[in-house]
Every structure is written in structure tokens, then in C-alpha cells.
Amino acid sequence: MSEELRNLIERLALENALAFNGVAKAEAVLGKLLGMNPDLRSKVRELIPIIQEVTEKVNRLTVAEQAEILKRFGGILRVEKPSKQELPLLPEARDFPQVVLRFAPNPDGPLTLGNARPAVLCDYYARRMNGRLILRFEDTSPSVKPPLKEAYDWIIEDLEWLGIHPDEVYYQSDRLQTYYKYAEKFIEKGFAYVCLCKPEEFRSFEKRGEPCPHRDQDPSLSLSLWEKMLNGGLNPGEAVVRVKTDMKHPNPAIRDWPALRIDVAKHPRVVGFRVWPLYNWSCAIDDYEMRVSHVIRGKEHLTNEVRQSYVFKYLNSPQPVSIHIGRVRLEGSVLSKSRIMRGLAEGAYTGLDDPRLGTLKALRRRGFKPEVIRRVVLEMGLNITESTVKWENLYAYNREAVDWEAERYYFVKNPFTMIVRSIPQQVEARLVRHPSRPELGYRNIVLKPLNGEAQLIVSSKDVENLAPGSRLRLMSLFNIEVEHVDPHSKTVKAFFKSLEVPEKSSGIKLIHWVLPSDAVKTVVLMPDASLVEGLGESHLTRLEPGRIIQLVRFGFCKVEKVSKNVVNLVFSHP
Ligand code: GLU
């Protein structure tokens, strides 16, 4: 037997022992081993005596020794759940040598859960099908969709967090000469023309399905007008380049669509350009030049696929296979970029990571794991219908993702002082850091009564409405009986009842607590941006920002800021 397998058996035996008061059972170890590695089923006969020998050896150790050895093995082995079924492969893109996908955001705001959908899907398929992933910033509309200087970095950061590392990155604002070059070529060949119609004039031709007077003008005339567009001889609104499609196309929106226009608004990245491509032009030219084989984008682009098909036809090139997906909604959260940016400008939100927003930054701040976002997106698949993400779902997935790392701590919301009398002796509470990870150890909190009396801090919710005579158990300490509750002074008087852990069937409520001498002010930012204040164990001040913890009977939180006197947390979910 390999040493690796022997070590694994020992590790599983230690885990099993620590979960059952120091005594491991060989059958349980065997079951776990086979669950992890079904191929070993054929070797059960050889395995049994070894597992028995190892468990016996482990059972001779003290619990402390077992914990120590398990720690050396790297703690409890976390068995990853097998991942869900894979999505179906993308339809084959004949005529393309390689699978190439691109995620093409407009840098005019932060990424939201809605944008995460195409981003994750493009990345997933690029990796799964051994292809390439391109990140392309579509930033060529200085006045209609003004790009934001900071948004480029926001997007790169958010993608990195999601674990998406594009193979290539392009900025369309760096590629204006390319769009010009193709425009000129199209004009020369009569595939496009410069149109001087006023917008309403063109609309009436479009509606009637008739060519406007410029459609059939000599390409040389269009070319000289194109020059004027570029050099300032024409003003914004006076001319556009149009791609010739079909003025009788059943969908008027397809008829000779505009490809480039004059826009003199300032751009955050480049200066000196007055002609800008519209989305359909730059997108089609780039998809062509970058040899994009598959496009995954929102269903609002269905008509654009038809518009862009003319460009590929004129270029005599296959068009990428397009897959259109539905929008994403996140129950009760703001996902619209324009609403987010407006709200920010008006001061309605504290920042891009305001917990009320559906931005990736807000989800990250709340402690959601990137793999949870990926999981939710992949479960939506390539569906064209709108999908609503339920918070409950995100919570459940994230709980699964963080439970292992989240140490447990006590935090008391809206503190009440509890004075307990008649405590017979000093009591030591051993609070485990994690119920299924004994190797993480515990905090020892010693309660030293003075003349039989001690003070504790408990949550108002647990005691406020209690009648005298009510019984409670202070977790890991002892049982008490309430004598008097005074909501004005926020005090409860109680007396010690007994030490033993009550039977589950007794119905006695277990409540958590902190000691006044071991309490630190703790402020939790909630999903609705409100703040919940209370007192937490002083141990919280030793945690580094970024850590995910669970506040017992309150919920999972992410540590945001820690100082000697205050701990700031952000609430993730119950
Ligand atoms: N910039 C476009 C958008 O964000 C990209 C659409 C596409 O992928 O073609 O909607």
C-alpha cells in the first residue's frame, strides 16, 4: 500500500476519532475512504486489516494528541462536492480554426451580477473548449454612453475577482483607425455611403422602404464627404456613414443602419478624434478581425446580429455563432448601471460596494465567494429567458462555500446586562472555534463570580419578554432562572440553576453571551445599509480584515475593519 493511502487512512481515522470523543470506528473510516475513492472498492479485503490497525493506534492516543497529529496533516480533509453537470458544448462554428469568445463590456459603470452572466459563460466556454478569451472595452460612444475613466479598472478588478483572466485585452478607442480603414473600403466598394439626411428625413425613407438620395450617389462623392467628416468640414448630426442593407427588409431597423457618426464630446482615453463608430460597426469589425467564433450576449442584441450579418457578408467571411441570453434580476437589488450611477451621483448610495447594490463589488464586500457567482451563472445556463436570482439561493450556496472557513464567535445585539447570583464556583467555558473542526481549538473564557455573583451581557431579544421563573441555558456555561427583567435599565436578574447540559426535549432555550470584561464594540453593516451595533467577544479584534466568520445565532459576516476598540463587520447572510 502506498504511503499516501496510509496517510489518508490515518487522517480519516483521526477525524473520525475527534468527532466521536476520541474513538474512531473502522467501518466509518472505510465508508468515507470508499466514498472519496470508489475505485478502492475492489481492494476492500486488503484495506480492512490496515484500517483496523490504524484506528486502533489512533484510539490509543489522547484527544489532544489526536488533534495535534491531525493538525500536522493539515486539518480535516475537505471533500469537495462533485461539480454539477457541465453545460452543453457550444454549437460548432464551422470555418473557424479555434473557439474564440469575447466579453465586451461598456466601461460606463461597475460590473453587476447581470454582466457576470456573459463574462462567466464566455470564460467557461473558452476554457472548456480550449479556446481564447478576449476582453474588449466597447468605449466608442463619447456622448451617448460616455465611458468612465475609472470603470476600465473596476471591470478588470471584478473579472480578476471572478477568476477570469482574459488572454487578450482590447480598447476600441485605440482602434479607431481600423474602423476608419474598413469604412473607407466599404464606401469605395459601394457597400456603405455617407448620408446627409436629417434623422427625421431618413426615418421617413426607412419607413417607406425607399432609398434616400445619398444611397446611390457615386462612391467618390461619399469618399469626399467622409474626408469632410474626418477633417471638420461637417458638424455633428450633419452626416453619418450607413451600411447598405436592404431598404425593403421586413424589419425597418435593419434598413441601412448607421455605422459611424461625428461626435465631438471628450473621451477619457484618447484625444483628437471626431468620427466614432457606432456599436454595430466596431463590434462587427472587431469580431471579424479578432476571429471571434462564438458570441454570447444579451438578447437585446438579437436585431444587431442581423445588422452585423451584412458586414460579414461584404467581407466574405463567416459570421460568429451568436447565442443570446436573457437578463438577470436579483430580487430587490439594483442591477441597472444607469440607476446605480445616478444613485451614486445623488448620494443615495455610499459607493459602488453599497450593500443594497447588485454590483460584484457589493457582493464581494458582503462576503460572497466568486465561485458562488459562477455557480449561479452556470446554473442559469444559456437560457434566453430572463432569470431571477433568489437571495435564498445565493445564501445557501455561499453558506456551503464559507462554512468550512468560518470560525464561530459570540456577538450580542442590543445588549442587556444579566446579573446572575448564587453561582457556586468559577466556571470555564470552552467555546469551540468550529463545530466540525476540532483542530482549530477553542477559546477558554473564565467566569469568576464575586460572592457568587457575576455579570454577563445578553441580547435584548433573548430576555426582554421573559417572565420571572423562565429558564435559560447560557451556552457552554450553565442554566439559570430569571427573577426579574427591567427593560428601562436593560437589566435582567437571574440565579444559577445547574451546570448540566439540558436534554433537547426540555425545550430550554440556549442563548449566547459575552462577558463585560471581554467585550468589544461591534458594528455590523446590514444588507439594507443600516448598522446593527452590539458587543462582541474581544477575540474579534484579532481577526484580519477579509475573514469570514459566523456570529452565533446571528449570521455569517465578513470582517471589514478592526481596531482596538471597534470591530466593523459586513453581514453576509443568515
Ligand atoms: N458592449 C455590448 C454590451 O455590453 C456588447 C454586446 C456584445 O457582446 O456584442 O451590451
Side-chain angles (χ1 to χ4, degrees), residues 102 104-106 136 138 279 283 295-297 300-301 308:
R102 83 294 189 288
N106 297 356
R136 187 169 80 209
E138 303 210 321
Y279 159 72
C283 175
V295 169
I296 300 177
R297 65 181 157 207
E300 64 278 15
H301 290 289
Q308 294 170 23

Side-chain angles (χ1 to χ4, degrees), residues 67-114:
E68 183 52 38
I69 302 175
L70 184 60
K71 215 171 179 175
R72 269 188 262 141
F73 271 119
I76 287 188
L77 199 67
R78 187 173 184 195
V79 185
E80 298 288 342
K81 287 223 173 100
S83 66
K84 280 254 160 121
Q85 261 192 328
E86 297 275 16
L87 290 177
L89 290 178
L90 292 178
E92 190 187 343
R94 266 174 277 120
D95 309 313
F96 286 91
Q98 194 194 8
V99 169
V100 178
L101 290 123
R102 83 294 189 288
F103 173 55
N106 297 356
D108 57 351
L111 291 188
T112 63
L113 187 66

Side-chain angles (χ1 to χ4, degrees), residues 144-198:
V144 183
K145 281 197 170 178
L148 258 172
K149 203 173 172 41
E150 313 80 359
Y152 299 87
D153 285 345
W154 295 343
I155 292 172
I156 290 178
E157 246 174 58
D158 289 344
L159 290 178
E160 245 166 47
W161 176 69
L162 279 175
I164 297 178
H165 309 287
D167 300 296
E168 291 159 40
V169 181
Y170 296 99
Y171 297 77
Q172 288 192 324
S173 51
D174 285 343
R175 297 173 51 76
L176 296 184
Q177 296 297 354
T178 304
Y179 310 128
Y180 294 173
K181 184 182 85 188
Y182 281 94
E184 231 166 87
K185 215 156 96 181
F186 269 51
I187 296 171
E188 267 167 23
K189 299 217 160 144
F191 304 155
Y193 57 96
V194 174
C195 174
L196 300 179
C197 291
K198 296 212 166 60

Side-chain angles (χ1 to χ4, degrees), residues 1 67 109 135 217 271 329 421:
M1 167 164 318
L135 166 62
Q217 74 204 359
V271 286
R329 282 175 184 281
R421 63 178 179 84

